[in-house]
Amino acid sequence: MSKSSAISPTQLFAMIILFEFGTALVLPIGLTSAQNSWLSILLAMPAGMIFYWLLMYLHRRYPALILSAYIRQIVGPYIGLPIGLMYGIYFMYISARNLREAGDLLITTSYDQTPIVIVHAAMIATVIYIVHKGVQVLFRLGEIYIIFIIALGLLSDMAVLLSGTIEIRDLLPIWGEGVGPTLRSAYPNIFLFPFAEVITFATVLPHLKQNQAAGKIGMLAILASSVMLSMTHAIEVSVIGKDMYSRSTFPLFTAITTVEVAEFVERLDALVILALIIGVFFKMTMYAYAATSIVADVFRIKEMKQMAYPIGSTIFLVSIMSAWSFPEHGAEGTKSFTTIQPIFLIYIPVLLFVVQLVRQKFSRPSS
Amino acid sequence: MFFNNSNRSRSTLDEHKGDTQAAQAPKQIAASLESNIAYIVQMLGDSPDIVIRRFEIGADKRQVAAIYTDGITDKQTVSQFILQSLMSDDSFDPAPGQSLLDYVLARTLAISEICAKSDWDGILLALLSGDTIIFIEGCTDALCGDTKGGEQRAVTEPSTQVVVRGPKEAFTESIGTNVALVRRKIKSPNIRLEAYKIGSITQTNVAIMYLEGKADPSCVKTIRDRIHRLSVETLEGSEHLEELLSDQRKTAFPTIMNTERPDMVTRNLLDGRITIFIDGTPFTLIAPFTFFKGLISAEDYYQRPESAFAVQALRYAALIIALFGPSIYIAAITFHQEMIPTPLLLSLASQRESVPFPAFLEAFLMEVTFEVIREAGIRMPRAIGQAVSIVGALVLGQAAVEAGIISSAMVIVVALTGISSFANPSYNLATTIRIIRFTMMVAAAIFGFYGIAIFSIFLIGHMCGLQSLGIPYMSIRYPYVPEEERYTLYGLRLGAGGTHAQGQAAPQSSEAPGKTTDGSDP
Amino acid sequence: MRKTIAVLFVLLLGTMFLAGCWNSRELRNLAIVVGIGIDKIPNSEQYRVSFQIVNPHGASEGKARGSSSGEAPHIVYTSVDYSIFSALRKTTQKVPRQLFFAHAQLLVIGEALAKEGIQELFDFYERSHELRLNTSVAIARGTSAESVLKVLTPLTTSDATAISSRLKITSEIWAHNVDQDISSIIKQLAGGGEPAISGVRIVDSNSTPTSNLELKGIALLSKGKLAGWMDGRTARGAVWALNQMKSTNVNLDCGEMKNGISIEVIRSSTKVRAHVVEGKPAFTIKVKEEGSLSEARCSIDPGSKEAMLKLQQQLADETKQEIELAVQAAQAKKSDSFNLWAELKRTQPKLWERIQKEWPDIFAGCEVKVEVEAFIRRTGMRGKTFTQPQD
């Protein structure tokens, strides 16, 4: 029977997919490549897989340690501790960013009179509750909700297909402006968001029941989620056109509003809003959990659950204070793509990998 | 019965020793017959339904008294097997060295179950359980003969969990009968039965039954430990025990199932679950219990698997309607009017023109009214029960609409929701859902769809954290049956099954669609 | 200690509920807008915006019609301001309820405003989360949008719904109008082409309230400004060119009898190809259509192969003429209403980049060839006509 904190491979699969969907499903992540966004997503996928493989490698070296713990092992405690702590803070920041995005989107589409504090508070309360309950509850929740999200996705796709609003020609030309813009939006933008974000799972992998499966399962999940994301964005572009897509704040929503089947099945906005809420919830909770895990590890706190409240409250406050308007929030995001995100998502992991390799080379002759 | 020899006898009458004469209470019976009888009369408060039959036996006219409690003993057994056999035998001829008691025990009493006791606790307990106690003058042991009987309900049809096709017998209040009903269905030597007495005042007989080899030993151990740790004064009914044995108290969700059907018990035993019988109630408890099991009724096992699957899907739909129905209506009408198709919206708008209440209040009132009608319908005498429900539904609803207090769409929503909540085969789960529905309505009234979504996440998260005997409450695929190497999906065995006793190979049936055997644990 | 913190936390959360619900709207307090009309005040920068609101008492389809006698099924309110959103909010001074737009079915643009340009009107539609992008659009012809909205029509609760469903139906079976919604208009305007919008006209404006509305013609816009109208056969040609032809009835000559035979076009598909001829763009419009014989007022024997071939050729010629008429009319007004730019952009992106700015002029002068292939598949329930051929 299940132990007190063990995750099955199916649950990991479900969580990674839900996590990848997060906000990527509804936001225009392929802004710069417009009609080729679906292609950019697929192009960024291999890098995502390599990154995951890198994480798996580090995990296999230190199967019982979470991210901050094995950072300390690899580069020594004096450098490792601050780096680990920084990761904790970084995760909190990203969690707050996600909350802000979701909150703003919800307010823009449906809740325009509601203060943002309230919208965020509702979400954060639930996040704190789930983090407090522990990783197993979170993953079991994911196992249940993945079915739900897939069903939602299928329903909306079918509705769009049946409504006949798809114009495949809107996806062409593919090479109109050359390969440049497509690749440029794939790297580093799409690679960083959403693919490299799987680094949060490095805090959860030690709880996995069967370690060997983690690699395959993760790859499969990344593959599946990128295919689904790509398809969704392709549908979005073909329904609303590339011009509107690149100007939209919430293209999936705009696309769904045009769907009308048999004069009765219309106004499926609720489905998209639901998908947004669920996706953001899992992403946020995963980040919050990762942050809690790291903080508990860095400060040697035994009861991780206690940290849920303070970290949750911090995330809540940061999400409100981080930007005073949605465009500024977006601008911050774009800037962060070139500054802090690569540090945490590319440079440090690669550095860890290299240092680990070097250590192994040196330790082999001596052992 | 075997309950006399319960291997783990619980909470004795120790707690009540303090009530009576603290200093003097003797533990063992005296040799004097009269003092024993006097003691019993005093201890039981000279109760009129304690019958004391004195007589003499043997050539030396030894004084004997047979004491039993009227009403819970089978009078015929008492008179035939005890009194008759004792009094008709004139030649008491004990062998040298053998006491009179042993002689009586070994040769005379033609009763099927008997034992000798000398401690007052055991004797009083036996007396109050329906045994006949035989005191012999000069013996420091008393004989307790099993003469349990008395009026009991016969085995009838189940009142709550009715099926169309399948056996129509239900448990009764006697634990012996209930255990027997199950024994008849599983004639396997691997059935294990453990008996306990719970409750220091009521001394209720409780028995655990499981199938060795299928049941998870850790679950059995958990139940055993929990029962051992109980120290309560009374045990009334299965609900009480359910509460005491549950993993977590701070939840509205039931983590232990109850049923009054022997076939459900059989099915669950074969699936590896543990049954708890309680004397005095026809409802037995079954643990562990997962959420998805709550949506399976006995009916599903007697129909074809495909139709059972379809019906189960229908039940899930009913569950969703029962939980979310009014909330979605409130959310759509109050926050998200753009979600409603235009003609429908115009129609709803014109309906609600005259209604003075906000949508939430309207829904709340209607739901409460429905619950009141339902509750009243349970208690109505059968003659007017039907009339009340018809009156309640039609007249109240219709009149309210005509008076312009409620909109007709709301009546439809409430009626649909109410009926869907009855489609749930598990009554306590249905009650839970009903309660949560109200909270969901509040969430919808405050936040619309966002509120419903967030609250659902909260709710499902809460359910995911629940455990039943250590098994996660939301396990989708449990139990795992190794010899068939397949899971039962959502607790329902798909494809041909058949009763499996230990060691018998399962008939190789067609694989049900959509199941995997990747060996992952739920 | 932990418990107190938890309780405090929950209390804090509970304060959320005390402040009330911000976005909740009772249906009773909503005025459901089904049609919007925009006019321009002459010699001013202000818009005159009209909102057609459904009257909930008379609007329910289920209740007996006319029970509240004399109550109009819809009401129109107007306001004047510099922006549409301001006018919208201003209207609350007149309407006893909050305006609710998510169900607006129709947008009518006054002809005068259309002449000045429609481009600025649509940003509001895009940005708002309530307004739907698949709202139908029409241009009021010879009148103002406000008057169009004020007309009452039988058989429906509001004429905005009436017009939009009419647009949908007639564009599909008579095909002298197009049903354009806002998202495709925006696509056109943003891309460099022109949208083609149907016109709506009031018939018999003397007797109210039972005056009638008629859909008439397709507007030709140049740089977003109304430049002219296409009517009759020209309009139908435009529908063909836009690949929106679903069904229509074509009258052909039969011997000496003009318009003696009617063919019902059942299916039609148009493909546009762009090529470059001497550095300049040229287009070929290829139409493939199928029809069946629907009415013959002269005598004809469909059994004879030549008669059928002749009919097919006639149909093809007629189609070709109509399309050419439409193209000529569009080119005369420098209005690429047929999405030709999209085809050019897709196949010759580099060329498009260069000529994008002068596209209306270049379009007026580029060569457009039309090729039609027509088939007549069926003749209905009868073959030969019962009238005898007149000699």
Side-chain angles (χ1 to χ4, degrees):
Chain A
M1 292 304 147
S2 43
K3 306 181 201 66
S4 62
S5 73
I7 309 171
S8 80
T10 336
Q11 287 169 340
L12 182 66
F13 182 75
M15 268 311 273
I16 294 184
I17 293 188
L18 282 168
F19 181 80
E20 292 288 314
F21 276 174
T23 38
L25 199 60
V26 296
L27 291 179
I29 57 179
L31 268 179
T32 45
S33 55
Q35 74 265 30
N36 289 340
S37 52
W38 61 277
L39 194 57
S40 307
I41 297 175
L42 290 176
L43 286 177
M45 176 176 67
M49 288 187 153
I50 297 178
F51 186 76
Y52 186 74
W53 180 86
L54 196 152
L55 284 179
M56 283 308 302
Y57 176 78
L58 289 171
H59 170 62
R60 246 178 265 128
R61 294 279 154 249
Y62 304 98
L65 298 180
I66 69 170
L67 182 66
S68 56
Y70 65 65
I71 290 181
R72 287 207 298 280
Q73 289 278 5
I74 296 179
V75 293
Y78 295 110
I79 315 181
L81 196 79
I83 294 186
L85 191 60
M86 280 202 309
Y87 262 107
I89 298 179
Y90 170 70
F91 285 157
M92 278 198 266
Y93 171 65
I94 300 291
S95 184
R97 269 191 67 85
N98 275 301
L99 181 58
R100 179 59 184 265
E101 261 160 23
D104 261 315
L105 280 174
L106 278 172
I107 292 181
T108 312
T109 54
S110 303
Y111 295 95
D112 42 9
Q113 308 287 334
T114 317
I116 195 167
V117 178
I118 303 295
V119 174
H120 285 196
M123 178 77 82
I124 265 287
T126 320
V127 170
I128 292 180
Y129 180 71
I130 301 284
V131 171
H132 178 81
K133 276 204 173 285
V135 61
Q136 234 203 347
V137 173
L138 172 63
F139 273 67
R140 224 173 275 145
L141 201 58
E143 204 180 354
I144 293 185
Y145 268 97
I146 186 78
I147 305 175
F148 196 54
I149 281 259
I150 304 263
L152 269 183
L154 281 176
L155 244 131
S156 341
D157 285 345
M158 264 203 328
V160 172
L161 272 173
L162 287 176
S163 74
T165 46
I166 295 188
E167 301 259 355
I168 302 281
R169 295 185 312 160
D170 275 348
L171 290 174
L172 307 168
I174 302 187
W175 307 116
E177 290 144 44
V179 183
T182 316
L183 270 181
R184 241 180 293 130
S185 94
Y187 300 95
N189 295 358
I190 296 189
F191 168 64
L192 288 177
F193 161 78
F195 287 119
E197 298 188 299
V198 289
I199 195 170
T200 42
F201 282 87
T203 55
V204 154
L205 289 176
H207 295 292
L208 199 59
K209 249 188 291 216
Q210 297 161 3
N211 283 333
Q212 314 87 294
K216 263 190 303 172
I217 294 278
M219 297 288 191
L220 215 62
I222 293 183
L223 179 69
S225 60
S226 55
V227 164
M228 287 193 267
L229 272 177
S230 157
M231 215 175 63
T232 310
H233 282 272
I235 291 181
E236 281 170 32
V237 172
S238 56
V239 167
I240 60 178
K242 53 180 172 276
D243 164 67
M244 225 185 271
Y245 174 81
S246 40
R247 289 184 299 121
S248 259
T249 45
F250 200 162
L252 190 59
F253 187 80
T254 313
I256 283 278
T257 54
T258 61
V259 164
E260 191 188 318
V261 180
E263 273 199 33
F264 187 75
V265 180
E266 45 183 37
R267 306 170 191 280
L268 296 171
D269 328 350
L271 294 183
V272 170
I273 292 185
L274 211 52
L276 169 71
I277 294 175
I278 295 175
V280 161
F281 172 77
F282 278 101
K283 197 156 186 188
M284 261 197 77
T285 316
M286 194 61 218
Y287 266 112
Y289 178 79
T292 319
S293 224
I294 289 183
V295 166
D297 172 64
V298 163
F299 290 112
R300 315 286 162 99
I301 300 178
K302 258 193 280 215
E303 275 282 332
M304 204 186 66
K305 301 191 171 198
Q306 296 171 337
M307 299 302 297
Y309 286 96
I311 290 193
S313 314
T314 318
I315 295 179
F316 172 61
L317 290 169
V318 169
S319 74
I320 304 209
M321 299 190 307
S322 70
W324 51 265
S325 76
F326 197 52
E328 187 191 350
H329 172 88
E332 249 195 45
T334 321
K335 194 137 159 256
S336 77
F337 274 158
T338 50
T339 48
I340 53 166
Q341 298 230 19
I343 300 180
F344 286 100
L345 298 178
I346 305 183
Y347 303 144
I348 297 189
V350 168
L351 190 72
L352 289 173
F353 179 63
V354 164
V355 171
Q356 175 64 26
L357 271 181
V358 162
R359 274 167 69 110
Q360 269 191 274
K361 278 246 177 65
F362 280 138
S363 65
R364 229 179 284 144
S366 53
S367 67
Chain B
M1 291 211 185
F2 59 90
F3 287 102
N4 273 335
N5 301 326
S6 52
N7 31 11
R8 293 160 197 28
S9 197
R10 281 289 307 139
S11 317
T12 61
L13 300 159
D14 284 349
E15 283 87 14
H16 285 273
K17 278 293 160 80
D19 300 353
T20 56
Q21 315 121 314
Q24 275 197 8
K27 279 217 96 140
Q28 305 280 332
I29 69 173
S32 150
L33 182 66
E34 290 305 321
S35 70
N36 288 337
I37 294 178
Y39 184 72
I40 286 190
V41 168
Q42 180 203 17
M43 279 301 282
L44 295 176
D46 203 5
S47 177
D49 61 347
I50 306 288
V51 178
I52 305 174
R53 175 73 163 87
R54 298 166 207 256
F55 51 95
E56 302 166 344
I57 56 169
D60 53 346
K61 302 244 186 330
R62 201 77 91 86
Q63 293 290 313
V64 177
I67 307 182
Y68 62 92
T69 315
D70 191 18
I72 56 175
T73 48
D74 182 15
K75 279 228 174 66
Q76 200 180 13
T77 316
V78 174
S79 50
Q80 254 187 314
F81 293 108
I82 295 192
L83 299 179
Q84 204 166 6
S85 34
L86 275 178
M87 291 160 89
S88 63
D89 190 349
D90 266 336
S91 58
F92 273 84
D93 196 7
Q98 188 187 32
S99 77
L100 181 60
L101 194 85
D102 290 331
Y103 178 74
V104 168
L105 188 59
R107 300 290 303 262
T108 319
L109 279 174
I111 194 165
S112 53
E113 222 181 302
I114 193 162
C115 59
K117 284 205 210 293
S118 62
D119 62 309
W120 275 118
D121 287 345
I123 290 178
L124 286 174
L125 186 59
L127 176 63
L128 291 169
S129 303
D131 291 350
T132 306
I133 317 290
I134 302 172
F135 288 101
I136 302 181
E137 171 73 43
C139 291
T140 50
D141 279 334
L143 295 173
C144 306
D146 181 8
T147 53
K148 292 199 180 72
E151 291 297 322
Q152 278 176 7
R153 195 162 62 91
V155 173
T156 53
E157 274 192 40
S159 56
T160 56
Q161 295 152 354
V162 185
V163 296
V164 171
R165 171 178 164 180
K168 293 196 198 304
E169 48 182 16
F171 288 131
T172 66
E173 283 77 6
S174 152
I175 194 171
T177 318
N178 295 345
V179 171
L181 283 174
V182 177
R183 279 266 194 212
R184 274 204 206 106
K185 291 189 193 282
I186 308 183
K187 304 183 181 62
S188 160
N190 289 315
I191 294 263
R192 299 277 175 263
L193 199 58
E194 295 173 20
Y196 304 89
K197 287 203 204 296
I198 299 184
S200 55
I201 299 183
T202 56
Q203 294 287 315
T204 316
N205 284 321
V206 165
I208 299 180
M209 186 189 272
Y210 58 93
L211 194 58
E212 172 132 347
K214 291 242 180 204
D216 183 13
S218 65
C219 290
V220 180
K221 185 171 181 318
T222 315
I223 288 220
R224 224 181 269 141
D225 291 341
R226 286 200 189 146
I227 293 188
H228 276 259
R229 260 181 273 144
L230 287 179
S231 65
V232 286
E233 288 190 354
T234 63
L235 182 70
E236 312 140 37
S238 53
E239 166 54 37
H240 193 192
L241 190 61
E242 188 180 324
E243 245 181 73
L244 295 172
L245 290 180
S246 285
D247 286 51
Q248 283 127 301
R249 311 278 183 89
K250 289 186 247 166
T251 171
F253 285 95
T255 49
I256 296 184
M257 180 172 138
N258 62 356
T259 177
E260 62 169 351
R261 300 184 56 93
D263 48 351
M264 279 297 270
V265 168
T266 314
R267 166 59 51 188
N268 281 297
L269 283 178
L270 294 170
D271 276 345
R273 294 195 166 86
I274 303 162
T275 313
I276 305 171
F277 296 91
I278 302 158
D279 194 19
T281 171
F283 284 92
T284 55
L285 300 179
I286 302 182
F289 175 59
T290 57
F291 177 76
F292 296 107
K293 186 100 182 78
L295 288 163
I296 297 176
S297 89
E299 187 85 42
D300 295 340
Y301 296 106
Y302 298 120
Q303 307 287 351
R304 296 174 51 84
E306 293 84 16
S307 42
F309 202 61
V311 173
Q312 228 198 347
L314 191 67
R315 271 193 224 121
Y316 278 108
L319 180 73
I320 301 220
I321 295 179
L323 186 57
F324 291 107
S327 315
I328 293 186
Y329 178 77
I330 295 176
I333 289 273
T334 334
F335 288 88
H336 299 271
Q337 294 91 348
E338 62 263 15
M339 309 280 184
I340 309 177
T342 316
L344 185 60
L345 182 67
L346 294 176
S347 171
L348 284 172
S350 61
Q351 277 176 26
R352 302 206 78 242
E353 274 300 302
S354 52
V355 175
F357 306 121
F360 167 60
L361 205 57
E362 195 191 354
F364 196 73
L365 277 175
M366 278 305 289
E367 284 289 336
V368 167
T369 313
F370 187 85
E371 292 296 315
V372 168
I373 293 179
R374 184 188 56 81
E375 193 64 25
I378 298 179
R379 303 189 202 296
M380 281 284 155
R382 231 162 266 194
I384 39 176
Q386 308 281 39
V388 165
S389 37
I390 296 177
V391 162
L394 283 182
V395 175
L396 255 182
Q398 197 56 32
V401 170
E402 299 261 310
I405 305 181
I406 307 283
S407 66
S408 20
M410 177 53 74
V411 173
I412 297 176
V413 167
V414 167
L416 194 62
T417 312
I419 295 194
S420 303
S421 69
F422 289 122
N424 198 326
S426 161
Y427 187 70
N428 42 2
L429 191 60
T431 315
T432 310
I433 300 279
R434 237 178 258 132
I435 298 173
I436 296 180
R437 187 202 310 157
F438 282 94
T439 332
M440 187 76 78
M441 284 204 293
V442 173
I446 297 180
F447 268 125
F449 278 128
Y450 181 54
I452 296 181
I454 289 287
F455 190 69
S456 313
I457 294 181
F458 179 82
L459 193 69
I460 299 186
H462 172 75
M463 287 202 286
C464 284
L466 291 176
Q467 287 183 337
S468 174
L469 289 195
I471 308 294
Y473 192 60
M474 297 296 275
S475 303
I476 296 179
R477 293 181 297 176
Y478 174 87
Y480 177 57
V481 182
E483 55 222 35
E484 286 187 329
E485 279 199 358
R486 64 165 89 186
Y487 286 97
T488 58
L489 188 63
Y490 295 96
L492 181 67
R493 194 182 301 261
L494 299 174
T499 318
H500 300 301
Q502 182 88 1
Q504 254 178 343
Q508 284 313 308
S509 46
S510 54
E511 276 281 63
K515 287 217 306 281
T516 57
T517 58
D518 61 350
S520 60
D521 220 56
Chain C
M1 179 59 185
R2 216 175 295 162
K3 217 169 173 191
T4 21
I5 294 184
V7 169
L8 273 176
F9 197 75
V10 171
L11 278 179
L12 253 152
L13 282 181
T15 56
M16 284 198 298
F17 305 152
L18 293 176
C21 332
W22 298 261
N23 263 91
S24 71
R25 304 175 281 220
E26 279 297 315
L27 271 184
R28 277 192 301 284
N29 303 332
L30 290 180
I32 302 178
V33 176
V34 285
I36 303 181
I38 312 182
D39 289 308
K40 197 84 177 291
I41 308 275
N43 305 322
S44 127
E45 282 300 312
Q46 292 187 321
Y47 294 108
R48 186 187 184 83
V49 189
S50 336
F51 301 102
Q52 186 183 80
I53 297 170
V54 176
N55 183 354
H57 288 290
S60 167
E61 310 269 344
K63 296 222 172 96
R65 190 61 51 83
S67 51
S68 39
S69 55
E71 268 203 57
H74 66 250
I75 316 161
V76 178
Y77 292 95
T78 33
S79 285
V80 173
D81 207 302
Y82 288 100
S83 72
I84 304 178
F85 198 62
S86 304
L88 193 156
R89 287 287 165 96
K90 212 173 190 178
T91 321
T92 52
Q93 291 178 323
K94 302 184 188 160
V95 184
R97 302 173 180 212
Q98 183 185 353
L99 291 173
F100 181 65
F101 287 96
H103 293 269
Q105 318 264 21
L106 179 67
L107 172 67
V108 183
I109 307 178
E111 193 169 16
L113 174 59
K115 286 204 180 113
E116 292 194 30
I118 62 173
Q119 291 214 347
E120 307 95 42
L121 299 176
F122 294 110
D123 182 80
F124 173 60
Y125 256 89
E126 265 201 313
R127 226 168 267 281
S128 163
H129 68 90
E130 264 190 32
L131 291 163
R132 303 258 135 179
L133 288 178
N134 45 8
T135 314
S136 305
V137 182
I139 297 185
R141 200 166 166 179
T143 174
S144 70
E146 188 184 344
S147 339
V148 167
L149 285 181
K150 286 204 168 122
V151 169
L152 295 171
T153 46
L155 273 190
T156 47
T157 51
S158 74
D159 72 334
T161 330
I163 296 179
S164 67
S165 45
R166 224 183 282 201
L167 265 179
K168 224 181 293 201
I169 297 176
T170 182
S171 65
E172 283 181 18
I173 53 179
W174 181 226
H176 280 68
N177 299 93
V178 279
D179 183 17
Q180 282 277 46
D181 59 16
I182 296 195
S183 59
S184 43
I185 291 181
I186 294 181
K187 270 190 216 174
Q188 299 278 14
L189 289 174
E194 311 291 342
I197 307 180
S198 300
V200 74
R201 198 169 77 93
I202 301 185
V203 170
D204 185 5
S205 50
N206 285 329
S207 58
T208 53
T210 52
S211 43
N212 245 309
L213 290 170
E214 187 192 19
L215 290 168
K216 191 159 169 67
I218 299 182
L220 280 170
L221 299 142
S222 178
K223 291 207 178 83
K225 302 191 175 60
L226 180 64
W229 289 95
M230 292 189 281
D231 288 306
R233 298 168 72 214
T234 323
R236 187 158 67 182
V239 176
W240 251 305
L242 279 168
N243 196 17
Q244 296 232 4
M245 168 64 67
K246 300 233 175 37
S247 180
T248 183
N249 200 36
V250 182
N251 290 332
L252 301 173
D253 300 335
C254 162
E256 262 133 37
M257 185 190 247
K258 287 221 162 282
N259 299 322
I261 303 238
S262 299
I263 307 283
E264 178 193 359
V265 173
I266 298 178
R267 224 164 272 135
S268 165
S269 100
T270 310
K271 282 197 181 44
V272 178
R273 294 260 176 275
H275 6 263
V276 186
V277 168
E278 291 163 10
K280 285 205 317 190
F283 298 93
T284 312
I285 301 181
K286 281 202 196 133
V287 177
K288 191 164 161 191
E289 60 187 0
E290 295 183 0
S292 77
L293 181 63
S294 59
E295 196 176 335
R297 283 175 300 290
C298 66
S299 127
I300 180 171
D301 179 10
S304 93
K305 190 161 167 207
E306 326 153 335
M308 288 309 284
L309 282 177
K310 187 158 151 253
L311 269 180
Q312 277 180 194
Q313 191 54 46
Q314 273 182 283
L315 178 61
D317 290 334
E318 176 69 26
T319 310
K320 184 166 172 197
Q321 269 179 24
E322 292 187 7
I323 300 180
E324 279 170 349
L325 277 174
V327 171
Q328 279 162 17
Q331 282 182 320
K333 303 281 181 197
K334 297 192 184 157
S335 159
D336 172 16
S337 306
F338 310 124
N339 263 339
L340 298 180
W341 65 272
E343 190 60 34
L344 187 62
K345 178 174 178 184
R346 216 190 35 239
T347 48
Q348 314 282 347
K350 303 242 173 25
L351 178 60
W352 173 250
E353 289 248 6
R354 274 186 284 128
I355 65 175
Q356 188 173 5
K357 299 238 171 32
E358 296 107 26
W359 176 236
D361 298 307
I362 299 186
F363 168 74
C366 67
E367 181 193 330
V368 180
K369 256 196 302 186
V370 182
E371 292 167 13
V372 181
E373 217 183 318
F375 299 97
I376 299 187
R377 303 280 188 208
R378 277 166 281 273
T379 60
M381 299 295 272
R382 293 285 179 272
K384 195 161 159 219
T385 54
F386 66 84
T387 51
Q388 303 299 325
Q390 321 260 342
D391 288 309

